[in-house]
Amino acid sequence: EREEEMLPLLLAQYYLSKSVLPREIWLPFPIEDTETMEQALSQHSGERVLVRIPKRGEKADLIRLANRNAEEEAERVTSEAERASKTLELLAKMAGLKEVPRRMESYDISNTGSSDIVASMVVYEGVRPKKSAYRKFHMKTIDAPDDYAAMEEVLTRRLQRYVDGDEKFAPLPDVFLIDGGANHAAVAERVLKRFALDIPVFGMVKDDRHRTRALTTAAG
């Protein structure tokens, strides 16, 4: 589509959703029916809004600077998106997943005392953490350190909340990543089986610096 047709749509979409508008909007090139656009923006603002196309001077220089900044930002975002896509594709290939994972959940058990056992749920959407979806669970059924029992409890509670319709625990992830080895992954698979769910599970094997060095399945 032509730029002259797209720019008015962008102006309306961007400015008509705001409560406060500028008194002047500078454009890089003329658009069709500028007067109608000014009327719509002015009516929404409650004050006169002018649409101008600077030809020379400081305003024209600012337009050129804004265009250059926008081009650079578009290139940066595109590069980031491409890198993220390739990272997820590589993960899917390494893990033997049928599709690229869009949502991943990771679980870890922390024992800070004989009775203070906490499980953390970390959520990633794509390659970015979604911190609003993070959850912390204090164990209710165990009172002594037992990573396997704790993992079973936290996953059971998480999946039950989803089954009960709790929106804070929706949707389900495309893959579960469990801190630990094959035995931890086996616990997760057992819980999923009780809920009749088929979601890939991988144990995250850590090195001596607690960095993930390998992924393993329940089969090892």
Side-chain angles (χ1 to χ4, degrees):
E1 299 181 33
R2 294 187 303 119
E3 290 181 336
E4 293 81 358
E5 296 174 345
M6 294 299 296
L7 186 53
L9 297 177
L10 175 62
L11 289 174
Q13 181 182 24
Y14 183 77
Y15 285 110
L16 294 181
S17 64
K18 296 183 176 297
S19 57
V20 179
L21 273 64
R23 301 298 298 272
E24 284 191 10
I25 298 175
W26 305 338
L27 304 182
F29 51 80
I31 60 173
E32 298 177 354
D33 207 350
T34 302
E35 184 177 346
T36 299
M37 178 60 67
E38 287 183 337
Q39 290 175 354
L41 295 172
S42 298
Q43 182 176 0
H44 179 74
S45 173
E47 296 183 353
R48 181 73 186 278
V49 177
L50 301 177
V51 176
R52 295 290 183 258
I53 300 88
K55 298 294 186 181
R56 62 182 65 86
E58 182 181 358
K59 293 181 180 180
D61 291 340
L62 287 173
I63 286 287
R64 285 189 286 270
L65 177 61
N67 285 340
R68 185 162 63 250
N69 289 342
E71 290 173 359
E72 292 176 355
E73 179 67 7
E75 290 177 0
R76 184 188 66 79
V77 172
T78 300
S79 298
E80 286 184 355
E82 290 175 348
R83 287 196 297 269
S85 178
K86 291 185 181 298
T87 299
L88 293 173
E89 288 173 2
L90 179 60
L91 173 61
K93 183 177 180 180
M94 292 172 59
L97 302 176
K98 295 179 181 179
E99 297 180 353
V100 170
R102 299 303 177 188
R103 178 185 171 105
M104 295 175 283
E105 291 183 8
S106 177
Y107 293 82
D108 189 12
I109 307 299
S110 176
N111 299 290
T112 58
S114 60
S115 60
D116 189 11
I117 305 168
V118 178
S120 59
M121 166 183 158
V122 173
V123 179
Y124 267 70
E125 286 191 347
V127 297
R128 296 184 179 277
K130 186 178 182 182
K131 295 187 177 181
S132 62
Y134 284 16
R135 297 290 180 266
K136 182 184 291 184
F137 299 81
H138 291 274
M139 297 300 99
K140 297 180 178 179
T141 62
I142 57 176
D143 55 10
D146 185 333
D147 282 3
Y148 300 128
M151 189 63 68
E152 183 167 1
E153 178 183 326
V154 67
L155 290 176
T156 298
R157 288 166 58 185
R158 183 263 180 268
L159 294 174
Q160 188 62 55
R161 295 285 289 272
Y162 171 78
V163 171
D164 293 341
D166 189 336
E167 295 181 356
K168 294 180 180 179
F169 289 86
L172 292 174
D174 299 310
V175 62
F176 280 106
L177 300 172
I178 309 299
D179 184 34
N183 290 336
H184 290 84
V187 171
E189 288 191 354
R190 185 166 66 245
V191 175
L192 286 166
K193 187 175 181 179
R194 285 207 303 268
F195 285 88
L197 294 171
D198 183 17
I199 300 174
V201 176
F202 295 93
M204 297 184 295
V205 182
K206 302 297 181 66
D207 62 15
D208 55 1
R209 295 185 180 181
H210 206 66
R211 298 176 302 186
T212 301
R213 63 175 176 81
L215 296 178
T216 183
T217 62

